[in-house]
């Protein structure tokens, strides 16, 4: 939604910062205000003393719900560049407005995506153009995407961690409590405990932080010396990848304003389609310029184990076919055995042998080989299963009773298969077997 006038444009200006966040003066409907620039925000938010337009709610970092409205901004102008008819939310960002005089709001992707932005942070200059501003001096960064969240890899004092790059963020980092990186940094450097006010949409709060200077942080080929790192919270280990991977060190870059990557909605599962329809309606009212797309969390978790699911089906089908063919073979062997020993069975029954004793005699000859094959298969099965489990950082152990249960199942299947043939032979009248002797 919205467009830019003129079609071809170029503008260069200086900027100031609030901590590390870029501040640009822009005119909103002809009135000049100071705006924060956030490359990670998917929505533009306008500062209003009272909410106007259709209402909704925004979650701030403290978990508090803040009322907001929506509107179409006819003109947001910087220099000679005019961003026309831009959709935006509006709310009273009292915590931020107290820190930044003449605060106008937050500029997000609906505006940022309509131009090329060249930011020279050391010289505090920014160039906005309709033309490509990149050249041979630029260094490409390794970017990956998971669950719709783009991230890169940052080396902190020689240890590589995943991180989200957000030019609208401050320098605050959260490290997992038991991660190697957190233990390493907290043990090697003297972190100072501080308390400060943190401002966010509709609220401000006191937070306790640990601060230290790290000698070296690398972003790709770019090296940063003497970097100030702030740990605003230490949390317990949690899984953010599949069970294949160890719980890695992770750096969570906190943005205290309005950076939206995903919206998580919990439903009661009674009428999923009605819930999806309602969510889509609300989405189209708030951010009509973005296509509504949804995924179920259960499906996203299952995708992490697609290979295991596929191989489990292949293994199950193969095992079923193998058992079926084995049963056919046992039927054939038992039939051949009975045919060769039919006179022996007749003699034994004539001498008083019971059906049970005859069954034990005939079945024992076959079942002993089933038992031998089971003993030979156990170490092979252990080796294969143990080798497969090595692909998981978090794995179970294979207990002895699993092999015992498999052995009993094999013996039971074999017993039921051959007993059909041997019982027929054991239950026949011995006269029929010995009439020609």
């Amino acid at each position: 939604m919205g467009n830019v006038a003129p079609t071809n444009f170029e503008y260069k200006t200086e900027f100031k910062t609030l901590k590390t966040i870029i501040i640009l003066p822009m005119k909103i409907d002809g009135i000049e205000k100071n705006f924060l620039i956030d490359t990670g925000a998917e929505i533009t938010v306008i500062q209003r003393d009272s909410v106007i337009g259709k209402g909704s709610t925004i979650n701030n970092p403290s978990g508090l719900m803040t009322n907001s409205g929506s509107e179409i901004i006819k003109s947001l102008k910087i220099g000679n560049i005019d961003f026309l008819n831009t959709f935006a939310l509006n709310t009273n960002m009292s915590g931020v407005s107290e820190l930044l005089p003449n605060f106008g709001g937050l500029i997000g992707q609906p505006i940022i995506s309509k131009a090329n932005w060249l930011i020279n942070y050391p010289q505090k200059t920014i160039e906005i153009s309709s033309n490509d501003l990149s050249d041979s001096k630029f260094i490409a960064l390794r970017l990956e995407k998971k669950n719709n969240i783009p991230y890169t890899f940052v080396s902190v004092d020689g240890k590589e961690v995943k991180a989200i790059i957000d030019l609208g963020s401050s320098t605050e980092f959260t490290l997992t409590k038991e991660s190697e990186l957190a233990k390493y940094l907290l043990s090697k450097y003297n972190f100072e405990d501080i308390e400060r006010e943190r401002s966010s949409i509709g609220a401000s709060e006191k937070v306790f932080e640990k601060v230290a200077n790290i000698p070296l942080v690398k972003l790709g080929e770019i090296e940063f010396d003497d970097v100030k790192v702030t740990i605003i919270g230490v949390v317990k280990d949690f899984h953010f990848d599949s069970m294949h991977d160890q719980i890695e060190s992770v750096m969570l870059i906190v943005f205290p304003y309005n950076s939206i990557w995903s919206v998580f909605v919990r439903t009661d599962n009674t009428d999923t389609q009605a819930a999806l329809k309602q969510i889509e309606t609300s989405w189209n009212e708030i951010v009509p310029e973005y296509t509504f797309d949804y995924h179920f969390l259960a499906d996203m978790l299952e995708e992490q184990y697609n290979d295991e699911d596929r191989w489990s089906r292949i293994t199950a089908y193969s095992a079923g076919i193998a058992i079926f063919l084995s049963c056919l073979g046992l039927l054939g062997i038992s039939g051949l055995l009975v045919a060769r020993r039919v006179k022996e069975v007749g003699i034994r029954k004539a001498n008083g042998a019971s059906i049970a004793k005859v069954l034990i005699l005939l079945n024992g000859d076959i079942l002993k080989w089933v038992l031998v094959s089971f003993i030979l298969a156990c170490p092979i099965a252990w080796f294969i299963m143990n080798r497969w489990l090595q692909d998981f950082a978090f794995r179970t152990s294979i207990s002895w009773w699993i092999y015992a249960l498999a052995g009993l199942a094999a013996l039971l299947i074999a017993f039921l298969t051959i007993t059909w043939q041997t019982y027929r032979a054991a239950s026949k009248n011995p006269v029929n077997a010995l009439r020609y002797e």
Side-chain angles (χ1 to χ4, degrees):
M1 180 179 289
N3 58 300
V4 187
T7 305
N8 297 316
F9 54 85
E10 189 164 348
Y11 178 73
K12 187 175 183 179
T13 186
E14 296 180 351
F15 64 83
K16 297 180 180 180
T17 58
L18 175 62
K19 292 189 175 180
T20 60
I21 305 173
I22 297 172
I23 302 172
L24 275 182
M26 300 180 70
K27 289 184 177 181
I28 176 171
D29 294 335
I31 302 174
E32 187 168 294
K33 296 281 186 177
N34 291 319
F35 285 85
L36 298 178
I37 305 299
D38 175 24
T39 59
E42 295 190 1
I43 292 294
T44 295
V45 183
I46 305 301
Q47 163 64 27
R48 301 291 188 191
D49 292 335
S50 58
V51 172
I52 63 174
K54 189 172 182 63
S56 59
T57 57
I58 300 175
N59 273 323
N60 68 20
S62 305
L64 300 176
M65 303 292 288
T66 302
N67 292 328
S68 69
S70 59
E71 58 183 300
I72 302 296
I73 307 301
K74 293 182 179 179
S75 173
L76 269 171
K77 192 171 185 179
I78 177 170
N80 63 335
I81 308 170
D82 200 357
F83 297 91
L84 305 172
N85 300 318
T86 302
F87 176 85
L89 298 181
N90 63 77
T91 189
N92 185 5
M93 293 177 274
S94 56
V96 185
S97 60
E98 292 172 1
L99 298 175
L100 182 59
N102 198 31
F103 177 56
L106 175 74
I107 299 300
Q109 282 297 323
I111 290 177
I112 294 173
S113 61
K114 291 182 173 63
N116 295 303
W117 302 65
L118 179 60
I119 301 171
N120 188 327
Y121 213 95
Q123 296 183 9
K124 296 291 191 296
T125 62
I126 188 168
E127 186 175 350
I128 310 169
S129 176
S130 56
N131 301 316
D132 186 3
L133 299 174
S134 60
D135 56 33
S136 59
K137 298 177 183 178
F138 283 77
I139 297 176
L141 295 179
R142 173 188 168 194
L143 289 176
E144 295 186 13
K145 199 171 184 180
K146 190 165 186 178
N147 297 334
N148 294 322
I149 300 176
Y151 62 87
T152 187
F153 294 86
V154 177
S155 178
V156 181
D157 203 17
K159 295 182 179 293
E160 189 177 72
V161 295
K162 296 177 182 178
I164 298 171
I165 298 179
D166 182 1
L167 297 181
S169 176
S170 67
T171 57
E172 301 164 346
F173 305 117
T174 301
L175 302 178
T176 56
K177 182 178 181 180
E178 300 299 330
S179 69
E180 292 183 7
L181 178 63
K183 292 178 180 179
Y184 173 78
L185 293 180
L186 291 171
S187 63
K188 184 173 181 179
Y189 299 100
N190 294 321
F191 280 81
E192 178 186 357
D193 294 319
I194 65 171
E195 178 184 347
R196 72 173 180 88
E197 289 280 339
R198 183 177 70 179
S199 299
S200 60
I201 294 178
S204 62
E205 62 176 342
K206 287 185 178 181
V207 293
F208 298 91
E209 304 175 334
K210 291 180 178 291
V211 179
N213 287 345
I214 306 301
L216 179 65
V217 174
K218 294 181 67 176
L219 179 60
E221 300 176 9
I222 309 172
E223 295 186 356
F224 300 90
D225 298 325
D226 196 27
V227 178
K228 181 180 179 181
V229 173
T230 305
I231 301 178
I232 68 169
V234 181
V235 299
K236 294 182 179 180
D237 284 352
F238 62 92
H239 289 280
F240 54 89
D241 280 328
S242 73
M243 295 298 173
H244 292 91
D245 305 316
Q246 292 281 358
I247 298 180
E248 301 177 0
S249 302
V250 62
M251 182 184 299
L252 305 176
I253 302 177
V254 179
F255 173 56
Y257 303 103
N258 182 42
S259 181
I260 302 173
W261 294 110
S262 301
V263 176
F264 293 88
V265 180
R266 176 180 291 178
T267 64
D268 58 9
N269 293 329
T270 56
D271 194 343
T272 303
Q273 293 303 317
L276 286 174
K277 187 175 181 180
Q278 178 61 38
I279 294 169
E280 182 176 8
T281 300
S282 301
W283 178 275
N284 292 332
E285 290 176 354
I286 298 172
V287 280
E289 67 272 27
Y290 291 98
T291 303
F292 175 71
D293 188 21
Y294 69 90
H295 304 275
F296 290 102
L297 181 60
D299 295 338
M300 297 173 67
L301 294 175
E302 287 180 4
E303 286 178 1
Q304 297 180 344
Y305 305 100
N306 278 342
D307 289 342
E308 286 73 22
D309 184 53
R310 182 171 61 254
W311 278 109
S312 69
R313 290 196 300 270
I314 293 173
T315 303
Y317 295 147
S318 301
I321 294 172
I323 291 173
F324 176 72
L325 294 177
S326 299
C327 289
L328 290 180
L330 285 172
L331 278 174
I333 292 174
S334 61
L336 180 62
L337 177 66
V338 167
R340 293 175 58 183
R341 303 182 67 174
V342 64
K343 292 183 175 59
E344 178 188 347
V345 170
I347 293 171
R348 287 180 180 274
K349 290 198 69 178
N351 289 325
S354 64
I355 293 178
K357 288 183 178 180
V358 173
L359 287 177
I360 293 172
L361 174 68
L362 297 178
N363 288 355
D365 286 343
I366 298 177
L367 292 179
K368 68 181 180 182
W369 292 111
V370 175
L371 184 61
V372 169
S373 64
F374 165 71
I375 294 172
L376 294 176
C378 278
I380 299 174
W382 176 87
F383 176 79
I384 294 174
M385 289 301 299
N386 190 63
R387 192 77 178 83
W388 174 68
L389 286 173
Q390 296 305 311
D391 292 335
F392 294 86
F394 297 87
R395 53 184 175 268
T396 186
S397 58
I398 306 176
S399 301
W400 64 269
W401 61 265
I402 296 178
Y403 297 98
L405 185 63
L408 289 174
L411 287 172
L412 180 62
I413 292 173
F415 176 78
L416 294 176
T417 302
I418 62 178
T419 297
W420 180 68
Q421 291 274 24
T422 56
Y423 181 79
R424 289 174 60 192
S427 60
K428 284 184 178 180
N429 191 331
V431 175
N432 295 331
L434 301 173
R435 67 171 61 181
Y436 299 110
E437 297 299 323

